[in-house]
Amino acid sequence: MLNQDLHIHTIYSTGDDAIVPEQTIAFVASVKHAKIVGISDHFEYLSDGAYEAYYKELREAGLKVGTEIDGHQFADEAATFNFDYFIYHCRDLDADYRSLERLLAKGKPVLIAHPNAFNTNLNRVPSECFIEINNRYVWRTDWKKFYGPFKDSFKFVISSDAHQPNSLGQAVAQNAAVQLGIKEHMVF
Ligand SMILES: [Zn+2]
Ligand SMILES: [Zn+2]
């Protein structure tokens, strides 16, 4: 079991075409692939009426209530909603770095989403932010070169960024076997 996974999408990310219909909150909760699980659907799909149901469903499932914010355009509005934490797309823009300060002022954890994918300048990111190593994006760039210089400057979190059950890892198949009462046979 993983320690934590706070970057997971569900069918609440309605406009994200990587989502499959099986990726529901109930399904993610049932897999129990990590000790601490948080859901972080894209804020732009929650702000227009879906937030109340999202919040209630996550609380009832015992999962942390997060959201992924696409830069400064959405940050001020997102900060007015009650989330346990924020995941933030910080592009290399003055406005994106400025909005980070306003999110931090809420006193909730702020995680910088896959900074290697956006070429976020980590020299401009406050050290109170948590830096994500993201399973969906880490391998697409020279991660040693990107993260290496900052390894002692920040605290890091490791996330799946799952949009589909298989991104939660082999725990999905293991959970099915357990529920079926099947014990895996070791071939070797
Ligand atoms: Zn993202
Ligand atoms: Zn994401």
Side-chain angles (χ1 to χ4, degrees):
M1 191 184 261
L2 303 173
N3 286 324
Q4 65 180 350
D5 190 1
L6 299 175
H7 191 158
I8 301 172
H9 297 275
T10 74
I11 54 172
Y12 277 93
S13 288
T14 47
D16 186 331
D17 56 17
I19 298 289
V20 295
E22 295 84 355
Q23 183 80 348
T24 62
I25 288 172
F27 181 88
V28 174
S30 75
V31 174
K32 297 184 173 37
H33 72 301
K35 289 178 201 149
I36 306 287
V37 174
I39 302 294
S40 57
D41 278 307
H42 296 291
F43 179 70
E44 59 266 38
Y45 306 125
L46 299 174
S47 54
D48 200 14
Y51 169 83
E52 302 296 338
Y54 176 75
Y55 185 91
K56 184 165 178 280
E57 198 176 337
L58 284 174
R59 279 282 173 264
E60 285 173 6
L63 306 185
K64 300 285 184 198
V65 183
T67 191
E68 184 169 28
I69 303 165
D70 192 23
H72 65 276
Q73 307 94 311
F74 297 99
D76 284 343
E77 191 187 358
T80 68
F81 286 72
N82 184 23
F83 290 108
D84 295 330
Y85 63 100
F86 303 109
I87 296 188
Y88 185 67
H89 282 173
C90 189
R91 294 176 179 82
D92 193 19
L93 299 170
D94 290 344
D96 276 8
Y97 299 114
R98 276 198 300 273
S99 287
L100 261 182
E101 300 288 351
R102 292 202 285 281
L103 288 175
L104 284 167
K106 297 292 288 182
K108 302 285 174 63
V110 177
L111 284 56
I112 305 299
H114 43 70
N116 60 318
F118 283 140
N119 219 9
T120 309
N121 181 354
L122 293 180
N123 287 307
R124 298 189 64 183
V125 171
S127 58
E128 309 95 281
C129 293
F130 303 109
I131 307 301
E132 185 185 62
I133 300 178
N134 178 301
N135 204 48
R136 194 181 189 208
Y137 291 100
V138 68
W139 49 274
R140 301 190 194 198
T141 62
D142 186 344
W143 49 269
K144 281 190 185 170
K145 187 167 168 230
F146 183 85
Y147 288 100
F150 298 97
K151 74 183 180 62
D152 298 319
S153 313
F154 290 100
K155 291 176 174 144
F156 291 84
V157 296
I158 299 174
S159 310
S160 69
D161 203 354
H163 289 63
Q164 304 189 0
N166 56 305
S167 302
L168 300 171
Q170 204 169 335
V172 174
Q174 284 173 344
N175 180 54
V178 167
Q179 289 193 46
L180 287 163
I182 289 172
K183 187 173 184 302
E184 183 180 14
H185 174 73
M186 299 303 291
V187 176
F188 295 104

